[in-house]
Amino acid sequence: MIEIDRISRAFGGLQAVRDVSFTVAPGSITGLIGPNGAGKTTLFNIIAGAIPPDSGHIRLQGEDITGLPTHKLFHKGLVRTFQIPHEFSRMTVRENLMLVPARQAGENLLKSWLRWGKVIEQDHEILKRADEVLDFLEIGHLRDELAGNLSGGQKKLLDLGRTMMTDAKAVLLDEPGAGVNRTLLGKLAEAIERLNKERGYTFCVIEHDMDLIARLCDPVMVMANGELIASGDMATLRENPEVREAYLGTGASGKAGAA
Ligand SMILES: Nc1ncnc2c1ncn2[C@@H]1O[C@H](COP(=O)(O)OP(=O)(O)OP(=O)(O)O)[C@@H](O)[C@H]1O
Ligand SMILES: [Mg+2]
């Protein structure tokens, strides 16, 4: 589905991503883990067209998409969420969802705002879809709440909901579980699983919550210092000395059990 082929990217003297290659297989929920600063988000930014790589290629279903802008990728079925949620805080939850199709179609913010009145009046289809998404995520009761008033976890669910407003097939999630409480985390995991099983979404998920990764992801890719250092299922990776070393700075036991 997504083929990451020898991607490198430096910022000044810092090699944020170094010669990374792996494939996100169609239908998989592929994990991407690694300590802070490993280069995970940078790799997502490259896949999603936010920044170009210095070298290497990204292919989506065999087609070279290296450096394509976000809206072009959207049309090809590739979308992403951000490590820090990007909601419009003064708009309601439902309006946030309804804005997605217009914005992703490549319209700039001003243009989509100008179109906004029209969207509300005419686009019952979009409204219906937004309500379906809210029901699917079991946050229908929040539809008229201002997005800015949501908890961190609810914002993460809203972010996932935004990907569902598209006909996305490949979805990149950057730390969907960050700041999400246990109850909501279960809901989020269930939503990701259902989207994968019932709607055929392929996911690549960056996450620090290893229990969430273990529940959702197979295989899991491990990055450290810009490099891909290991891959496999989570149970095997937990025992991998290099992975433990990357998380702890030592091969010794301890917190690595959680890694
Ligand atoms: N735009 C940028 N300019 C300069 N350096 C950057 C930029 N973006 C990222 N970096 C650096 O690249 C390295 C990798 O950062 P990145 O955000 O990809 O890590 P990460 O694995 O997502 O970490 P975290 O788990 O903390 O989110 C870090 O040292 C970071 O400071
Ligand atoms: Mg990151």
Side-chain angles (χ1 to χ4, degrees):
M1 185 95 191
I2 308 172
E3 198 186 327
I4 294 139
D5 183 13
R6 307 200 64 175
I7 291 289
S8 293
R9 169 74 201 211
F11 297 108
L14 178 94
Q15 194 69 42
V17 177
R18 190 194 303 269
D19 206 20
V20 169
S21 299
F22 64 89
T23 300
V24 178
S28 72
I29 307 180
T30 298
L32 180 56
I33 67 170
N36 295 117
K40 306 179 299 293
T41 297
T42 303
L43 186 62
F44 264 24
N45 284 337
I46 292 168
I47 300 170
I51 59 170
D54 295 331
S55 59
H57 293 272
I58 307 289
R59 291 184 202 89
L60 180 67
Q61 292 177 309
E63 183 190 353
D64 194 334
I65 57 159
T66 318
L68 283 190
T70 311
H71 69 272
K72 292 229 166 98
L73 294 173
F74 166 81
H75 285 297
K76 295 182 187 297
L78 178 72
V79 298
R80 62 92 61 95
T81 68
F82 292 89
Q83 191 163 345
I84 297 164
H86 278 40
E87 80 286 350
F88 291 99
S89 54
R90 305 291 296 274
M91 296 173 80
T92 69
V93 167
R94 188 203 244 157
E95 286 166 350
N96 264 270
L97 291 181
M98 290 180 65
L99 202 53
V100 171
R103 285 205 68 202
Q104 297 284 16
E107 296 186 359
N108 63 34
L109 193 53
L110 178 64
K111 211 164 144 204
S112 48
W113 275 106
L114 291 175
R115 229 172 70 86
W116 180 237
K118 229 167 148 190
V119 170
I120 300 182
E121 274 173 29
Q122 294 177 3
D123 237 327
H124 291 292
E125 274 308 303
I126 294 179
L127 186 113
K128 213 175 109 203
R129 188 156 183 173
D131 283 348
E132 278 167 11
V133 167
L134 291 169
D135 288 340
F136 183 96
L137 295 173
E138 297 175 40
I139 49 172
H141 59 291
L142 295 172
R143 75 185 79 233
D144 296 319
E145 188 63 68
L146 291 182
N149 293 342
L150 299 183
S151 72
Q154 290 167 337
K155 285 179 186 173
K156 286 285 186 182
L157 271 179
L158 178 59
D159 255 9
L160 184 63
R162 284 151 57 127
T163 70
M164 296 171 62
M165 289 300 292
T166 71
D167 291 319
K169 281 295 158 209
V171 180
L172 311 174
L173 302 177
D174 197 345
E175 300 195 23
V180 180
N181 71 43
R182 283 285 135 192
T183 317
L184 224 45
L185 205 59
K187 200 179 277 190
L188 188 92
E190 209 181 294
I192 293 170
E193 278 169 337
R194 282 187 59 196
L195 286 169
N196 176 250
K197 289 205 179 80
E198 296 171 18
R199 305 204 182 172
Y201 278 41
T202 297
F203 284 101
C204 186
V205 184
I206 296 177
E207 185 51 62
H208 286 292
D209 183 326
M210 294 306 150
D211 293 334
L212 187 64
I213 286 281
R215 170 174 171 178
L216 290 177
C217 302
D218 191 14
V220 177
M221 306 293 150
V222 190
M223 283 181 74
N225 296 318
E227 291 182 283
L228 187 73
I229 60 162
S231 65
D233 65 77
M234 203 54 222
T236 311
L237 290 174
R238 280 185 210 265
E239 303 305 320
N240 181 318
E242 252 193 289
V243 175
R244 296 163 81 97
E245 164 89 23
Y247 272 93
L248 277 185
T250 162
S253 62
K255 213 183 121 207

